[in-house]
Each structure stands twice: as C-alpha cells, then as structure tokens.
Amino acid sequence: LGLFTKSWSSDIRLDGKTAIVTGANTGIGKETVKDLAMRGARVILACRDLLKAEQAAGDISRDVENANVVVRKLDLADTRSICDFAELIYNTEKSLHLLINNAGVAMCPYSTTADGFETQFGVNHLGHFFLTFLLMDLLKHSAPSRVINVSLAHHMGKIHFEDLNSEKSYHPVKAYVQSKLANILFTRELAPRAEEMGVSVYAVDPGLVKTDIIRHLNKSLQFFVKTFGFLIKPPEEGAYTTLYCALTPDLPTGAYYSNCAMAPCSRAANDDNTASRLWAVSCHLLGIRWK
C-alpha cells in the first residue's frame, strides 16, 4: 500500500452507462476499466496497440464476470486516427457518459506526431483536446456526462507559447510538464462551456504510480523508483481519484483533484489568460472552430 494513500470506495453502479478510457491497456487505465466494468458499465478501451488492448480486455473479462469491454483503435499521435475512432464511436454507440483522457507519453526522446507536433504536447494535450472536441455532441446527448483529464506533475509546467513544439530547444521533462499543465488549463477552459450542456469536466492527479510510463526515465531515476517503490502507489490506487471524479455525485466541475479530494493547482494552472490563449492556439493548430 502506498504510504499516503487514502483508501476509497463507492458502491455506485453504472449499468446502462458507456465509458471510453484512452491508454487503457496498462497501468492506471487498465485498473480504471476494470473498476468501471465491475460496476456494470460498457467500457471502450481506446488504444494504439490493439494486441496489448485485446490482452488487457481478456484479463479484465477473466477477472470480472460478464464484463462488457470492447477494444477500439486510437492513435492520439495522428489526427486522422482520432477522426476514424470518433466516427466509429458515433456509428456503434448510442451514448457516452464518461470520457477518461488517461493516455500519455512521458519524457521520451524528441519526436513528432503524424501531424508534426512535438509528441508529448501532441499526444498528451492536442490529441485529447481534439478527441474531446469530436465526442462532445455524444457527451452532450448523453448528459449528465463527464470528461476526466489525467495530469501528473503539472506544478513544474509552463506553457512556452513562443516554442510550443520545442523546435528551438527540447527538454523531455520540460515538454512533459508543459503538456500536463495544458491538460489542466484545458479542463479549466472547457468546464464553463460544457456545463450548460450538462457535461462536467475534471482534472485528476493520480499521484506517483508504478506504471510503464517510467520506461524513458534515466537509469538512476529508475533505480530510485525501484528502490523507493513503497512510496509509490500500485496502479489500482492510482486509479482512485479518476474513479472518485467519475462516480461522486454533485462534484464541482472545472476543478483539480488529487487523493480523492479537490486540491490546489499551480499558479500557472489558475491563469485564465493562459487558458484562453492555449485554447485558441490549440484550435488553430488542429484547424478546428470550437466556440
């Protein structure tokens, strides 16, 4: 058990509800799917690697009786794939009550997405921004519904408007924390727009969790993580705050949650000017109009 984790449970059922979890084949995402499936929800695992996703769905089906889980291909590093995914969802699903933007890449060497965005900014922020934009009508149609953006370590982040895509200089950690701060600013800006449609939006910090995301960390950091692993939550505890925001009734929208409670976020994350500027730039980069 993580040293400081507050244990959490809820007996809320989700029969007849549909959820999408991005990056659902491993770690926190997989645990989130498992919990939602146990509550009777139909859960769509939106993943880039279909083989791993099918394995994860198989594991969950073995653990959860009558689990209603399906796998759909989604590559957040490619806007075309995001469009195809959204189209398939509209063609196959009647409703969508929970969109959990959980996928993420962390501290990877410099690379770009299919559309030429720096990968961490492109996947962690723009990919989920675009996905949410495309699914908004279905979320609205299914209201009350919720969008949850998972964001770890935003406190060190700053939005580098003069170099969003790290073309002038790239630092893996700087790009990562920028993308995570972007998740919170997106939540902040989306909340008032979505609220009138019956859609609530939450930003969630899962805490330090033992997942595959550490694979790009350098050796000494990996050693630290393995040595002090007892301070680090297992994935099922990492999913607690996501589930708390997915299930708790009457939770204030637009806020940032950590350890199953509302939490303070950084000054940069509270800046409305930065939030609206990032929104405008994101729409411009993606070539969309989102009022």
Side-chain angles (χ1 to χ4, degrees):
L1 238 135
L3 222 52
F4 312 109
T5 304
K6 142 165 161 196
S7 86
W8 174 83
S9 69
S10 159
D11 48 14
I12 287 177
R13 296 287 306 168
L14 294 172
D15 306 282
K17 302 274 195 255
T18 301
I20 290 175
V21 181
T22 69
N25 56 309
T26 172
I28 301 172
K30 185 177 173 185
E31 291 298 333
T32 303
V33 172
K34 186 172 157 182
D35 188 282
L36 297 173
M38 281 165 69
R39 295 171 193 279
R42 169 177 173 77
V43 193
I44 295 150
L45 291 80
C47 303
R48 189 183 56 200
D49 186 328
L50 285 182
L51 192 68
K52 284 184 181 164
E54 292 289 1
Q55 284 169 339
D59 293 344
I60 291 162
S61 295
R62 272 195 301 279
D63 290 344
V64 179
E65 212 180 330
N66 303 323
N68 185 355
V69 289
V70 285
V71 167
R72 300 279 183 252
K73 183 166 177 64
L74 171 66
D75 183 355
L76 288 158
D78 185 350
T79 51
R80 192 148 195 187
S81 169
I82 302 171
C83 286
D84 291 344
F85 171 82
E87 193 179 355
L88 184 62
I89 294 300
Y90 278 100
N91 289 334
T92 53
E93 304 298 330
K94 291 187 288 293
S95 56
L96 175 61
H97 303 92
L98 281 172
L99 171 59
I100 300 178
N101 291 321
N102 165 83
V105 283
M107 295 39 111
C108 50
Y110 181 80
S111 61
T112 54
T113 67
D115 304 273
F117 307 125
E118 183 275 314
T119 298
Q120 299 190 82
F121 185 71
V123 169
N124 298 350
H125 171 59
L126 290 173
H128 282 126
F129 186 96
F130 189 44
L131 177 67
T132 307
F133 166 75
L134 292 174
L135 294 175
M136 209 62 200
D137 277 345
L138 193 54
L139 286 159
K140 188 168 75 179
H141 161 79
S142 315
S145 53
R146 298 184 179 196
V147 175
I148 295 169
N149 297 317
V150 179
S151 168
L152 171 67
H154 80 278
H155 286 87
M156 294 149 56
K158 176 181 187 301
I159 306 293
H160 301 274
F161 285 108
E162 71 301 332
D163 192 23
L164 279 177
N165 278 313
S166 307
E167 284 147 340
K168 296 177 194 158
S169 76
Y170 179 72
H171 188 287
V173 174
K174 198 172 92 174
Y176 177 70
V177 293
Q178 169 179 260
S179 74
K180 295 284 104 184
L181 172 58
N183 294 151
I184 297 184
L185 292 167
F186 169 43
T187 302
R188 187 179 184 84
E189 194 67 12
L190 177 59
R193 288 174 160 83
E195 193 169 16
E196 57 206 42
M197 308 175 201
V199 184
S200 305
V201 194
Y202 307 101
V204 164
D205 179 347
L208 272 181
V209 180
K210 216 169 184 159
T211 68
D212 291 357
I213 207 149
I214 67 164
R215 65 184 172 274
H216 292 298
L217 298 183
N218 66 33
K219 288 288 174 279
S220 56
L221 270 173
Q222 285 192 9
F223 171 77
F224 174 85
V225 166
K226 289 185 174 125
T227 311
F228 296 97
F230 63 89
L231 290 173
I232 295 170
K233 305 174 185 181
E236 60 271 23
E237 287 179 22
Y240 282 171
T241 306
T242 297
L243 293 163
Y244 173 82
C245 287
L247 300 165
T248 306
D250 310 317
L251 213 53
T253 185
Y256 169 72
Y257 291 82
S258 174
N259 270 323
C260 300
M262 213 187 282
C265 48
S266 71
R267 203 149 105 211
N270 275 321
D271 188 329
D272 287 329
N273 289 339
T274 309
S276 67
R277 189 176 168 196
L278 179 66
W279 181 281
V281 171
S282 302
C283 287
H284 173 73
L285 288 171
L286 290 163
I288 59 177
R289 295 185 60 158
W290 191 357
K291 284 284 164 264

